Amino acid sequence: MTKEIVYINAMDKIYTLIETGAYSNAIKIMKKRGRLSGVYLYDVNHSWYIIGDAYFKMKNYHMAIKAFKRACKVYPEDWAALMAIGNSYSELGRPKLAEKIFRKALLIEPENMALWFNLANALFDQKKFNLALVEYSKIARTECGLSSRANNMIDMIYKHNNKSVNGTPDA
């Protein structure tokens, strides 16, 4: 068997563990003493991404960020790992860092509406409502699956702005 086939078979077992919620078991198999073990060295970027995803699903966002950064170290153009780092920072309540990472990912994948949506959310979370509105509006004009969610966020911003203008305390 080739190394690739061995890796694919090993990853199939990891995917099964992840699908069943056995995230820590998957991580323990893939990683020993902080390093990838054995067959998982075949595709270092993907292996670290999967570990990061498992940590993210466990809500261990700090460890997820570390793993996603290791994936990016191998393949700096990995916009999906960058997006996952941004999402992790968002979950940690660090929208400014999330914004920075989403902008970096958009330099690589500028047509990705999910990245734009997450950027808009990071701006919203920083209370940069006018900037968020610009981004949500771009998404709302597209035919992507996020346009209705973008419209909902636009409505929320308008309601917030109306409350602020009318002197009603912010919700």
Side-chain angles (χ1 to χ4, degrees), residues 29-101:
I29 291 169
M30 294 181 74
K31 185 174 97 158
K32 306 284 188 238
R33 287 184 240 118
R35 296 183 177 172
L36 291 178
S37 61
V39 67
Y40 304 103
L41 292 166
Y42 177 77
D43 186 344
V44 175
N45 168 264
H46 183 68
S47 295
W48 279 116
Y49 184 90
I50 295 301
I51 291 169
D53 190 50
Y55 279 125
F56 188 91
K57 288 175 178 167
M58 293 168 58
K59 299 186 184 322
N60 188 338
Y61 304 116
H62 291 287
M63 290 302 291
I65 290 167
K66 287 181 181 182
F68 292 131
K69 283 184 176 181
R70 288 181 89 165
C72 288
K73 188 175 182 180
V74 177
Y75 181 51
E77 297 81 28
D78 188 347
W79 64 266
L82 287 168
M83 182 168 151
I85 293 168
N87 290 340
S88 298
Y89 281 129
S90 288
E91 291 295 330
L92 288 169
R94 308 282 308 271
K96 193 175 240 182
L97 279 171
E99 175 191 353
K100 177 182 171 186
I101 299 299

Side-chain angles (χ1 to χ4, degrees), residues 83 112-118 121 136 139-153:
M83 182 168 151
N112 188 307
M113 288 298 121
L115 282 170
W116 285 108
F117 189 80
N118 289 357
N121 287 341
Y136 288 131
I139 297 161
R141 288 191 298 268
T142 69
E143 296 294 320
C144 76
L146 293 169
S147 56
S148 66
R149 288 176 62 194
N151 279 317
N152 290 341
M153 295 305 293

Side-chain angles (χ1 to χ4, degrees), residues 124 127 129 156-165 167-171:
F124 182 91
K127 301 189 181 351
F129 299 119
M156 205 184 297
I157 291 170
Y158 282 132
K159 285 176 187 171
H160 176 271
N161 285 344
N162 285 338
K163 284 182 183 179
S164 297
V165 169
T168 308
D170 293 345

